[in-house]
Amino acid sequence: GQQVMQIPQYQHVQEGEDFTTYCNSSTTLSNIQWYKQRPGGHPVFLIQLVKSGEVKKQKRLTFQFGEAKKNSSLHITATQTTDVGTYFCAGRDDKIIFGKGTRLHILP
Amino acid sequence: DTGVSQDPRHKITKRGQNVTFRCDPISEHNRLYWYRQTLGQGPEFLTYFQNEAQLEKSRLLSDRFSAERPKGSFSTLEIQRTEQGDSAMYLCASSLGGGPGGAQHFGDGTRLSIL
């Protein structure tokens, strides 16, 4: 069945360092979404990617969708303490599958 | 935009009891989703409505689970004969659908604890 794998599971970075999380699907996706969940909170929508090879930027965040539409990445430049949380990708094939998330810790 | 509202926020019940949760989506959103999330995991898809029609249902959803969205507005999720493994956060999300996808707006969830 369809699987969405996300790595790494945890990431500790010094404030100001960059951070990247990767998402890989076992099947070709029609689109992929990224969400952020703060501790104790609910997932909050960040972005949706639809086109093969698509790249979108939101301030310090860069999102990419692979050419084969089976993988995606989220890159944060110069992390800040407000970036703390768990980042989930959600891939849509014939159903929606969330990855297990990457939990980002920022060391001051 | 008052956001997605879920009730109750917490539910503690004994094993074997039935529970029902309610979700009020963002008013103009035609799509409504239910997910289950346990600690350290991503949201697990349970079911999805477009207006009042239940279009998708996870195979993981046993026959103890049922969801309704009778008038295409609010939705309820019922769990019958609850088991220990049902303890989780139950999340509702809504979106304004057209083509594939669409930003999902999540509620704060209902945390279910089975004693």
Side-chain angles (χ1 to χ4, degrees):
Chain A
Q2 180 189 0
Q3 293 186 18
V4 173
M5 308 297 292
Q6 204 171 339
I7 55 170
Q9 190 174 0
Y10 301 96
Q11 186 79 59
H12 294 77
V13 300
Q14 290 285 146
E15 187 175 8
E17 291 182 341
D18 293 356
F19 160 77
T20 305
T21 174
Y22 300 90
C23 185
N24 293 286
S25 170
S26 58
T27 60
T28 301
L29 302 170
S30 59
N31 65 58
I32 194 158
Q33 297 176 343
W34 285 91
Y35 291 80
K36 176 184 178 181
Q37 186 171 23
R38 292 182 183 273
H42 58 262
V44 174
F45 175 81
L46 295 176
I47 203 113
Q48 176 172 286
L49 304 171
V50 179
K51 299 177 182 177
S52 169
E54 189 170 14
V55 177
K56 287 189 176 180
K57 293 189 176 184
Q58 289 179 350
K59 297 183 181 178
R60 294 177 296 104
L61 278 61
T62 302
F63 304 84
Q64 293 188 329
F65 201 9
E67 293 290 340
K69 301 182 74 172
K70 295 178 73 172
N71 58 74
S72 181
S73 65
L74 158 59
H75 179 82
I76 302 178
T77 303
T79 53
Q80 301 174 359
T81 55
T82 54
D83 296 326
V84 165
T86 301
Y87 293 84
F88 293 100
C89 63
R92 175 181 281 276
D93 182 2
D94 60 336
K95 58 181 85 67
I96 302 166
I97 301 227
F98 276 76
K100 290 188 175 182
T102 296
R103 185 170 298 176
L104 174 62
H105 295 268
I106 307 291
L107 303 171
Chain B
D1 179 0
T2 57
V4 177
S5 177
Q6 291 189 246
D7 183 70
R9 291 293 304 276
H10 304 275
K11 179 70 176 178
I12 302 173
T13 192
K14 293 182 179 179
R15 187 178 54 185
Q17 298 295 304
N18 299 342
V19 294
T20 300
F21 310 140
R22 176 178 170 123
C23 172
D24 286 90
I26 293 172
S27 57
E28 65 268 25
H29 285 184
N30 58 338
R31 294 183 174 178
L32 187 148
Y33 307 80
W34 284 100
Y35 294 89
R36 177 172 62 191
Q37 187 176 28
T38 53
L39 195 63
Q41 302 294 314
E44 177 188 15
F45 172 79
L46 295 178
T47 191
Y48 150 59
F49 291 85
Q50 181 152 314
N51 301 312
E52 67 274 11
Q54 188 173 17
L55 297 187
E56 289 182 42
K57 188 174 177 180
S58 170
R59 283 173 292 180
L60 299 173
L61 210 63
S62 77
D63 55 7
R64 296 185 299 106
F65 288 71
S66 62
E68 295 182 342
R69 193 181 184 199
K71 297 182 180 179
S73 56
F74 74 91
S75 175
T76 57
L77 176 68
E78 181 182 16
I79 309 174
Q80 296 182 328
R81 306 181 301 282
T82 51
E83 301 174 355
Q84 291 282 353
D86 296 332
S87 293
M89 176 72 83
Y90 289 83
L91 293 166
C92 175
S94 69
S95 71
L96 188 60
Q104 294 182 57
H105 298 259
F106 283 82
D108 287 333
T110 294
R111 183 171 297 282
L112 174 64
S113 298
I114 306 298
L115 301 177

